[in-house]
Amino acid sequence: MGPYERGELMAGPDGALLAFPRFLGERVLALASQVGGVGILLKDVLVRLSPSQIDRLELFRNLGRMGVKSVPIISATAAFTGGIMVIQAAPFVQQFQAEAFIGWAATFTTFRELGPLLIALIFNGRVGANNTAELGTMKVTDQVDALRALSIDPVSYLVVPRILAMVSMMVVLCVIGDAVALGGAVLTADLLLDVSPNLFLSSAVERLEVWDFGLGLVKSLLFGLMIALMSCYYGLATKGGAPGVGRAVNASVVASASGVFIVDYLLTFIL
Amino acid sequence: MIEVRDVHKSFVRPVLRGVSLRVPEGCIYALIGPGAAGKSVLLKLIAGLLKPEQGSILIKGEELGKKTDLELAKLREGMGMLFQNYALFQMSVADNIAFPLRRAKTHSEEEIRERVRERLERVALPGREDQDPATMSGGQKKRVGVARATVAKPPIVLYDEPTAGLDPVTSQKIYDLVREEQRREGATVMVISSDVSGVLSIADRVGMLHEGRLIFDGTADEARVSEEPAVKQFVHGLVDGPL
């Protein structure tokens, strides 16, 4: 082993001098390895997307447990988000007597930004973390190798159905979330600002463009892809037994959330 | 049937350093050795789950290294494998055992049910079709693993530590089951084990790995009387010796 292969061998002033560049280099290499790994996984998924290769049973199973079972928590989050938007806007609406704009302001922000973002973060915590834990457990208990030993391609059987389910259900959940958020906002505006549902909805319909809603869906689709890829990648890259599963879940949730914010920033900037 | 030629494999450090061995058709070959000797790695290499850095592995004369992923998957259809920590899926016992047959789509659902029932009887777990494997004991899980590994009647069966963590009585029952299955189906069997006395009771041939090298290859009787210091120490469980 060379003298620069281990940090602890670099004691003394020279070692301290090299410690930071070494730490930085290791982090950059680790990041490059992870980005490369996610890219390879995406490629592996794309080449297996022909309808005949998709495991429909697994796809429907994942649609149910990842999507349908997420509806209650997503609905609760969305309802509060819609309400919070109105509460935040309430002082200004009252100060400037801008009741005619509250419907537009609340829905514009919720549809374009807050709805998809908060739903993605909740989805990441509930579905992404669970997906990483499940795949990680399968990896450290040899179940992934067992699939290969049974001539079953783990990407086709485990990853493709999960990614399709997560991406599609994120879009569906965003639509549901938008509708529930709208309900929460209408109710809050009615109770707090005495803005009638008719005024609220006409304000939203008149000023809102279809693209405001569409942008939210595009964001949801990409957020779903980001969470799905990250959670599958970190799950399948798990090593080190049960503690390794914990580390993988942590890394997956952090990487997915960071990825969601980066994608959101870029999309908001570009579109 | 199974031939390993000068295989090298490393994970940061060298694990296998030029291992060569041959498992004749219809033979039970026991691979013994202390922990971290490279036994499980060699088994995964033979199953095509890992690739050697150097050397070659031949199954029925076909070299694994020259196969595409698709060809490897096809080759693995003729193999069954029991994993050290069971590797049972999160589904019922019956679904676990039926899994290889359902994926292969070669049998009707009625035939699969019948085969599962027959397998469960063979491994002394009749009527446990609907049980969740998570609620079973270690020995029962191993037996479900044996049933899954052999349900498609593969000509090659690989067992990775089939008795690890089991009591002596259950261990011997598992070994007897492995022997019976091999006698019935005539499969070529490779068993990895640290439980020397148990595995020698069923093995036709024995190989011993130590520090990534095959230091012994012979019959079970030859292993028992070997004067090679590491083999003698390991087979007889002696405290003093090179291990």
Side-chain angles (χ1 to χ4, degrees):
Chain A
M1 181 176 289
Y4 301 109
E5 288 182 45
R6 291 179 61 130
E8 60 265 38
L9 295 181
M10 297 188 297
D14 289 346
L17 205 65
L18 288 172
F20 180 68
R22 177 186 164 76
F23 170 80
L24 203 64
E26 278 179 353
R27 288 292 175 276
V28 170
L29 283 176
L31 184 66
S33 164
Q34 285 164 9
V35 172
V38 172
I40 290 168
L41 183 64
L42 178 61
K43 185 265 293 175
D44 286 346
V45 168
L46 290 176
V47 299
R48 288 167 174 84
L49 276 183
S50 72
S52 62
Q53 278 187 288
I54 295 168
D55 191 311
R56 286 177 179 76
L57 198 67
E58 274 301 293
L59 176 61
F60 287 121
R61 195 176 73 86
N62 283 303
L63 284 171
R65 69 196 189 101
M66 290 174 166
V68 177
K69 289 187 178 176
S70 296
V71 170
I73 181 71
I74 295 294
S75 300
T77 308
F80 282 111
T81 303
I84 289 164
M85 288 311 299
V86 172
I87 295 168
Q88 289 283 14
F92 303 102
V93 169
Q94 284 169 331
Q95 186 181 348
F96 298 106
Q97 295 183 328
E99 283 82 1
F101 289 94
I102 184 66
W104 168 73
T107 49
F108 179 86
T109 324
T110 306
F111 285 8
R112 284 181 71 107
E113 189 58 56
L114 275 179
L117 190 64
L118 288 177
I119 289 168
L121 293 177
I122 296 287
F123 193 76
N124 185 30
R126 186 192 174 271
V127 178
N130 183 55
N131 188 44
T132 305
E134 199 173 290
L135 290 178
T137 304
M138 289 187 78
K139 178 79 191 313
V140 299
T141 56
D142 282 338
Q143 290 180 57
V144 176
D145 272 346
L147 285 173
R148 294 173 65 210
L150 292 167
S151 303
I152 296 159
D153 173 26
V155 177
S156 293
Y157 180 70
L158 292 176
V159 179
V160 172
R162 285 161 197 255
I163 287 188
L164 288 176
M166 288 168 91
V167 171
S168 55
M169 289 320 291
M170 254 303 291
V171 176
V172 172
L173 288 171
C174 185
V175 174
I176 295 171
D178 282 348
V180 177
L182 187 62
V186 167
L187 191 67
T188 310
D190 190 20
L191 294 175
L192 197 72
L193 300 175
D194 212 17
V195 174
S196 72
N198 274 345
L199 180 60
F200 187 99
L201 290 173
S202 63
S203 157
V205 171
E206 278 170 20
R207 292 175 177 83
L208 214 59
E209 292 177 12
V210 176
W211 178 237
D212 296 325
F213 178 68
L215 177 63
L217 295 188
V218 171
K219 282 184 176 180
S220 284
L221 190 137
L222 291 173
F223 293 166
L225 183 63
M226 175 66 68
I227 295 166
L229 275 174
M230 290 293 182
S231 62
C232 288
Y233 168 75
Y234 281 101
L236 291 178
T238 303
K239 47 189 165 185
V245 176
R247 284 193 295 272
V249 171
N250 186 43
S252 163
V253 170
V254 171
S256 298
S258 307
V260 161
F261 278 107
I262 292 168
V263 168
D264 192 21
Y265 178 86
L266 292 174
L267 279 179
T268 307
F269 184 74
I270 295 166
L271 302 173
Chain B
M1 174 61 100
I2 300 173
E3 204 171 340
V4 178
R5 291 179 183 165
D6 191 31
V7 161
H8 290 70
K9 182 71 185 173
S10 303
F11 294 103
V12 185
R13 289 180 183 151
V15 177
L16 298 175
R17 314 165 190 228
V19 173
S20 298
L21 61 83
R22 194 172 168 279
V23 182
E25 192 165 349
C27 160
I28 296 184
Y29 189 99
L31 191 64
I32 60 172
K39 305 185 296 292
S40 292
V41 171
L42 184 57
L43 207 70
K44 286 187 176 179
L45 285 163
I46 290 169
L49 302 175
L50 295 173
K51 288 187 176 170
E53 281 138 20
Q54 193 184 317
S56 54
I57 293 164
L58 289 86
I59 306 289
K60 293 183 186 174
E62 296 185 63
E63 192 178 332
L64 296 188
K66 292 179 179 169
K67 301 268 173 211
T68 62
D69 285 349
L70 207 64
E71 289 169 334
L72 265 181
K74 191 78 189 158
L75 197 76
R76 285 198 208 103
E77 286 175 7
M79 287 187 194
M81 189 165 178
L82 172 73
F83 286 82
Q84 187 172 348
N85 41 17
Y86 325 115
L88 298 175
F89 305 126
Q90 289 160 15
M91 49 181 78
S92 72
V93 165
D95 287 341
N96 261 286
I97 299 170
F99 197 78
L101 299 179
R102 288 209 175 107
R103 300 296 303 185
K105 294 176 181 167
T106 50
H107 295 70
S108 69
E109 199 53 38
E110 196 175 331
E111 285 171 325
I112 291 172
R113 270 197 300 274
E114 179 54 28
R115 189 76 77 84
V116 168
R117 191 194 58 74
E118 182 267 334
R119 282 291 86 189
L120 280 172
E121 276 185 9
R122 288 289 307 151
V123 299
L125 290 170
R128 302 290 191 100
E129 281 89 345
D130 298 328
Q131 192 167 347
D132 179 356
T135 63
M136 294 180 129
S137 69
Q140 289 172 332
K141 284 181 191 171
K142 289 277 182 188
R143 281 187 269 165
V144 174
V146 172
R148 187 177 70 183
T150 55
V151 70
K153 301 190 176 177
I156 296 173
V157 189
L158 309 172
Y159 295 96
D160 188 356
E161 297 281 6
T163 60
L166 302 182
D167 66 81
V169 176
T170 311
S171 295
Q172 197 53 53
K173 282 181 181 172
I174 296 280
Y175 282 126
D176 291 344
L177 179 64
V178 169
R179 172 94 266 181
E180 278 173 36
E181 280 300 311
Q182 193 275 336
R183 289 269 188 266
R184 273 168 61 97
E185 305 298 336
T188 304
V189 172
M190 197 160 176
V191 188
I192 282 178
S193 184
S194 307
D195 171 14
V196 180
S197 61
V199 78
L200 288 190
S201 71
I202 62 160
D204 299 312
R205 290 192 69 79
V206 181
M208 179 165 164
L209 274 180
H210 177 44
E211 293 180 339
R213 292 190 174 88
L214 193 75
I215 60 167
F216 177 83
D217 190 6
T219 64
D221 287 339
E222 286 168 350
R224 287 190 189 97
V225 297
S226 173
E227 286 300 317
E228 207 286 326
V231 178
K232 189 177 179 181
Q233 185 189 359
F234 193 72
V235 169
H236 297 286
L238 306 175
V239 175
D240 296 322
L243 298 178

